[in-house]
Amino acid sequence: MIEPRPQLGSPKMGQLLSPREAMLRALVIARKGAGFVSPNPMVGCVIVDREHRFLVEGWHTKVGSNHAEIEALERLMALKGSREALEGCHVYVTLEPCAHEGRTPSCAKTLAPLQPASVTFPFHDPNPLVAGKGAEILRTAGIRAVPLTDAHVWPALPHESIDPLVKQELIDWAEDVAEIFLWNARQRELPFVTVKVASTLDGKVALRSGESQWITGDLAREKGHRLRLEHDAILVGRRTVETDNPSLNVRLKNITGVENSVVIIDPRAKLLPTLKDRRLSQVRPTTKVFVCVQSGCFDVDVVSRAHDEGFQVFDVGGSEPGIIDLREALIKIRTLGLMGLYVEGGAGTVGPFLDGELAQRLHVFMSTGVLGGREATGWSDLCGVGTLAQMWKLKRQHVNVLDGDIHITGRLQV
Ligand SMILES: NC(=O)c1ccc[n+]([C@@H]2O[C@H](COP(=O)([O-])OP(=O)(O)OC[C@H]3O[C@@H](n4cnc5c(N)ncnc54)[C@H](OP(=O)(O)O)[C@@H]3O)[C@@H](O)[C@H]2O)c1
């Protein structure tokens, strides 16, 4: 798999970029919108000149503000003094340019009269308002608007080797970058669920005492915070809040102003009476804290007080007391406008997501330390399969080394 090449830093003005490098750069910068663009996708755009030399780049920075193509176009205007400088250039964008007017004007209609030579994107936007229509607007204006899924040739440089595997890797990576958006555009019932665990080499996430901080190093934890940013809410089980008293916020250099939501599974409302004193309630408005309880299993006065304190408590059914219907919980979470859910444990919470096949992506951050023993908790202790043939296997996986920790991620479902 193509790794997210951090070494592909901002290209210098005039630097020759192959089409592959231009698309890779667009994919790298797309992620800069994390935390600010939901429910829109993270999108990046790179513009190169007729000879494929780098001119400008842009990304979708905030919901309601410029799309990536327009952001790049404005930078081109600032550089060259006019939008007309786009004529004959090549545009690389990580999603089909939009056809419709929403909070912002149509990107396809803005680009069409400016006559770039080509607009390359990985695949059509599944949104029915756009699907194929953005490309059609551009083609009608005589522009080569080529999704990588269809293209048999790269639109420009003859010396670029045409390797279908490279194209497929770019398509896969673009799907990963936009996965929460794509999932929600294709089905409207359940949010996209990512499960993340930080474990030792032998798969342990906590000692018997509950001690678990910290298993991995700074770089792995920083990556974990970046992933928090890409999701609308973090979900944890009651015991993680009781044991760790976490803030569950985004703590990254140069990123401020993100107030992510938290969902806690607390079937019998045991945590609820003290929730306002926990760190996670102190670092965000209580209206951003959602608590899932089980119908018939909680004290109504406790829930009513929590509502008064601003917490958003919702109840779901379950097969027996203490076993909630997780699918029903996810349906409610989706209706609350939370489209991407980042499940951070512990094992009692992760297990039902895996057993219920309700998670789409898994991230494991694994240190090279070993805790051993039967009593330390393993992240998959409370879930599992019956036969080897049923083994859960990651698809489209990436493996990275982060300062001595190993980061493995992939899709549980594609
Ligand atoms: N290394 C890591 O990545 C990591 C991450 C998070 C936590 N941890 C550690 O893990 C430990 C806590 O994990 P844990 O497994 O004991 O607890 P947990 O998963 O945090 O919480 C489990 C509790 O949450 C409720 N719950 C969660 N999912 C449920 C479901 N589908 N149906 C019904 N109830 C559900 C239940 O509450 P009731 O008991 O009220 O029924 C359950 O007992 C701590 O030591 C923490 O430090 C490690």
Side-chain angles (χ1 to χ4, degrees):
M1 292 297 285
I2 293 171
E3 295 302 326
R5 299 178 24 183
Q7 70 271 30
L8 195 70
S10 183
K12 292 197 175 55
M13 165 74 74
Q15 184 180 328
L16 195 65
L17 291 186
S18 68
R20 174 177 180 268
E21 285 171 327
M23 187 58 86
L24 271 177
R25 179 65 192 164
L27 287 163
V28 167
I29 59 174
R31 290 203 188 267
K32 291 183 180 233
F36 301 98
V37 297
S38 176
N40 289 348
M42 297 182 285
V43 183
C45 176
V46 165
I47 300 178
V48 296
D49 70 10
R50 291 162 193 268
E51 278 77 43
H52 245 265
R53 289 175 308 213
F54 176 75
L55 285 172
V56 285
E57 62 188 22
W59 59 93
H60 184 33
T61 52
K62 198 173 174 203
V63 66
S65 72
N66 283 343
H67 287 185
E69 305 88 313
I70 307 305
E71 194 64 29
L73 187 59
E74 291 205 344
R75 289 183 187 203
L76 187 68
M77 241 165 66
L79 183 75
K80 300 278 186 182
S82 123
R83 288 179 157 211
E84 276 64 45
L86 190 67
E87 191 179 341
C89 291
H90 301 282
V91 178
Y92 288 85
V93 58
T94 61
L95 190 67
E96 179 181 4
C98 66
H100 61 300
E101 325 280 326
R103 278 175 277 231
T104 56
S106 152
C107 293
K109 287 183 190 161
T110 306
L111 295 179
L114 299 174
Q115 290 292 298
S118 72
V119 177
T120 303
F121 49 93
F123 35 70
H124 289 297
D125 185 332
N127 177 351
L129 291 172
V130 182
K133 296 183 185 127
E136 195 49 45
I137 291 168
L138 294 164
R139 280 199 292 267
T140 305
I143 298 159
R144 293 184 68 185
V146 197
L148 294 180
T149 42
D150 293 358
H152 0 273
V153 286
W154 289 100
L157 291 185
H159 67 256
E160 175 78 15
S161 62
I162 304 163
D163 181 348
L165 284 177
V166 168
K167 266 188 224 166
Q168 191 54 52
E169 284 177 326
L170 288 173
I171 293 165
D172 288 350
W173 194 19
E175 283 202 354
D176 289 351
V177 169
E179 65 189 0
I180 296 176
F181 168 80
L182 294 173
W183 170 266
N184 282 283
R186 288 172 186 149
Q187 64 83 51
R188 304 206 164 265
E189 194 179 32
L190 300 165
F192 184 93
V193 175
T194 299
V195 165
K196 173 252 173 179
V197 290
S199 84
T200 58
L201 197 56
D202 53 339
K204 308 291 189 189
V205 289
L207 284 168
R208 182 178 175 219
S209 63
E211 190 184 344
S212 70
Q213 290 172 331
W214 300 104
I215 284 174
T216 50
D218 290 348
L219 215 54
R221 296 216 303 282
E222 184 188 323
K223 175 74 184 165
H225 278 262
R226 294 222 153 266
L227 292 168
R228 285 181 174 179
L229 203 54
E230 291 182 9
H231 294 78
D232 296 321
I234 298 169
L235 182 146
V236 291
R238 167 188 69 82
R239 280 207 295 266
T240 291
V241 180
E242 283 178 354
T243 315
D244 299 348
N245 194 16
S247 303
L248 299 178
N249 57 356
V250 174
R251 299 187 295 280
L252 287 169
K253 272 185 229 141
N254 307 327
I255 302 276
T256 52
V258 179
E259 256 176 14
N260 60 333
S261 297
V262 169
V263 182
I264 302 162
I265 306 194
D266 183 16
R268 300 177 180 88
K270 288 185 197 163
L271 175 72
L272 217 44
T274 58
L275 190 53
K276 68 174 184 322
D277 305 318
R278 306 282 170 171
R279 266 193 212 123
L280 69 90
S281 312
Q282 285 158 4
V283 299
R284 60 172 58 71
T286 50
T287 49
K288 292 225 158 202
V289 181
F290 299 85
V291 184
C292 173
V293 294
Q294 187 173 357
S295 315
C297 289
F298 55 87
D299 179 333
V300 228
D301 292 336
V302 165
V303 169
S304 152
R305 268 197 301 280
H307 274 299
D308 293 344
E309 286 163 354
F311 295 109
Q312 306 209 41
V313 187
F314 61 96
D315 65 315
V316 297
S319 54
E320 56 185 271
I323 307 288
I324 63 154
D325 182 336
L326 201 48
R327 192 181 168 84
E328 187 189 337
L330 288 175
I331 291 170
K332 289 215 170 157
I333 287 167
R334 175 73 176 73
T335 61
L336 294 166
L338 305 172
M339 326 266 242
L341 201 58
Y342 189 55
V343 177
E344 288 209 51
T349 304
V350 165
F353 275 95
L354 265 67
D355 274 342
E357 298 187 351
L358 291 166
Q360 282 69 51
R361 175 172 289 283
L362 178 66
H363 283 275
V364 179
F365 292 91
M366 200 162 60
S367 83
T368 51
V370 173
L371 286 176
R374 285 177 201 277
E375 295 190 330
T377 311
W379 67 266
S380 60
D381 280 359
L382 298 173
C383 57
V385 297
T387 66
L388 274 182
Q390 294 168 311
M391 178 160 43
W392 295 312
K393 281 191 183 149
L394 294 183
K395 300 166 189 83
R396 299 212 314 243
Q397 69 274 28
H398 294 271
V399 181
N400 299 302
V401 176
L402 300 171
D403 237 4
D405 293 323
I406 302 152
H407 172 212
I408 302 171
T409 184
R411 290 289 294 259
L412 286 157
Q413 293 169 31
V414 184

